[in-house]
Amino acid sequence: MKHVLVIDDDVAMRHLIAEYLTMRAFKVTAVTDSWQFNRVLMSEAVDLVVVDLNLGREDGLEIVRNLATKSNVPIITISGDRLEEAEKVVALELGATDFIAKPFGMREFLARIRVALRERPISPRAKDRRLFHFAGWTLNVKQRQLISEQAGEVKLTSGEFNLLIAFLEKPRDVLSREQLLFASRVRGEEVCDRSVDVFILRLRRKLEADPTNPRLIKTFRGAGYFFDADVEISYGVTWPACSLTSVDVAPSAPVSRQSGGRTDRSAHSFPNRP
């Protein structure tokens, strides 16, 4: 399920977008300002962002610029003003994927979202910003950090890191010993056939609750190994803590989440629609 993050200070528009996309199998988080926006980006994988350029106290273009420099997530900008062509160009040049003016039809809006979500070639720079999320673990490729809430940071050798990347890029695909041997090569070092077994053993000890009964890295007898877990990929960086306080908002600021036709109203309540 694709996760769409919407930032708009118009309650009715947030409600409309969240309700419409939720009914079409999207997970939607709707927020009112950059403080809440950054909180979501720090804690969850987001597939697409919708930014209203007219946020009252805040500059939507600045939000677009900041996000585009830190993430590869598609950005659709919306505006209620009749902007000049030059202003639309600025939004696109700052990193927006698309622009749509209010009022707009929801079918057209959905079509633009689907187009923006189509898989695009990953640039080497974006590839370095990948965050792999699996079984309570997060692997930050750029920082070469493997972290979980329970175990904290776990150190990986270069060979272990390369091998784990190979598994995470092709979850549940059986990878032969030859494929894993090639993937685990470290520049300037010789590796042998037994190196794969050693790396597998070490990774199991670091990832598995019970390495003798592995649930993540499993053996496919006579063929190789496969990684048996759901893997999510996001593109981002370690967001600076100061970004959380860039806007003076009370800690109880509302955040709404909708998924699968249900809304968690514990943090935010939309007004009843007639």
Side-chain angles (χ1 to χ4, degrees):
M1 180 179 291
K2 296 296 185 181
H3 184 192
V4 177
L5 173 59
V6 180
I7 176 169
D8 194 320
D9 60 353
D10 185 328
V11 175
M13 180 57 67
R14 289 200 312 274
H15 190 177
L16 177 63
I17 292 175
E19 184 179 79
Y20 186 85
L21 294 181
T22 298
M23 296 301 294
R24 282 148 186 85
F26 288 90
K27 174 184 176 181
V28 182
T29 302
V31 302
T32 62
D33 54 51
S34 62
W35 187 83
Q36 302 166 48
F37 183 78
N38 288 333
R39 285 186 63 189
V40 176
L41 289 172
M42 288 181 66
S43 60
E44 300 186 42
V46 174
D47 298 293
L48 181 138
V49 170
V50 178
V51 179
D52 184 0
L53 297 182
N54 306 112
L55 292 173
R57 294 185 300 165
E58 298 188 77
D59 183 0
L61 287 175
E62 184 67 15
I63 292 174
V64 170
R65 185 187 67 80
N66 288 334
L67 179 60
T69 60
K70 299 174 181 176
S71 172
N72 198 46
V73 64
I75 305 169
I76 294 181
T77 56
I78 58 178
S79 175
D81 293 338
R82 301 189 63 176
L83 299 181
E84 299 293 331
E85 181 181 4
E87 293 174 296
K88 296 178 183 179
V89 171
V90 168
L92 295 172
E93 288 183 342
L94 286 176
T97 307
D98 199 357
F99 178 92
I100 186 168
K102 300 177 185 177
F104 50 81
M106 295 307 295
R107 290 178 62 186
E108 177 188 357
F109 183 58
L110 177 61
R112 288 174 182 262
I113 286 178
R114 286 175 171 164
V115 169
L117 285 171
R118 287 176 185 166
E119 187 173 350
R120 296 174 293 174
I122 301 173
S123 67
R125 182 179 176 185
K127 199 170 183 179
D128 287 342
R129 293 202 303 262
R130 289 179 299 175
L131 302 176
F132 290 96
H133 310 276
F134 63 95
W137 293 89
T138 296
L139 178 68
N140 186 317
V141 174
K142 184 174 183 179
Q143 298 180 1
R144 301 176 75 89
Q145 287 182 323
L146 177 64
I147 300 173
S148 80
E149 290 187 3
Q150 292 184 341
E153 182 177 354
V154 174
K155 299 294 184 181
L156 297 175
T157 66
S158 295
E160 294 164 358
F161 176 82
N162 293 342
L163 195 65
L164 182 56
I165 290 288
F167 280 125
L168 296 177
E169 288 180 335
K170 296 184 178 180
R172 296 196 171 92
D173 284 2
V174 177
L175 301 179
S176 68
R177 295 176 63 85
E178 291 74 18
Q179 288 175 294
L180 295 174
L181 185 63
F182 179 80
S184 60
R185 288 185 184 276
V186 178
R187 184 177 299 179
E189 295 184 11
E190 291 292 330
V191 293
C192 62
D193 191 51
R194 291 292 298 171
S195 298
V196 172
D197 298 321
V198 173
F199 290 145
I200 293 290
L201 179 61
R202 289 176 178 173
L203 280 177
R204 282 174 171 167
R205 287 174 176 171
K206 293 178 179 182
L207 294 174
E208 305 278 5
D210 180 4
T212 62
N213 183 30
R215 295 181 176 273
L216 294 176
I217 303 176
K218 296 185 176 180
T219 303
F220 195 99
R221 195 172 300 278
Y225 298 91
F226 66 100
F227 195 80
D228 192 15
D230 293 328
V231 178
E232 292 186 358
I233 304 175
S234 60
Y235 296 86
V237 297
T238 302
W239 293 78
C242 61
S243 64
L244 292 179
T245 56
S246 59
V247 181
D248 184 15
V249 182
S252 59
V255 178
S256 70
R257 306 177 191 280
Q258 295 199 12
S259 177
R262 298 170 58 189
T263 306
D264 178 1
R265 298 180 182 271
S266 60
H268 182 95
S269 295
F270 288 119
N272 293 327
R273 301 181 68 193

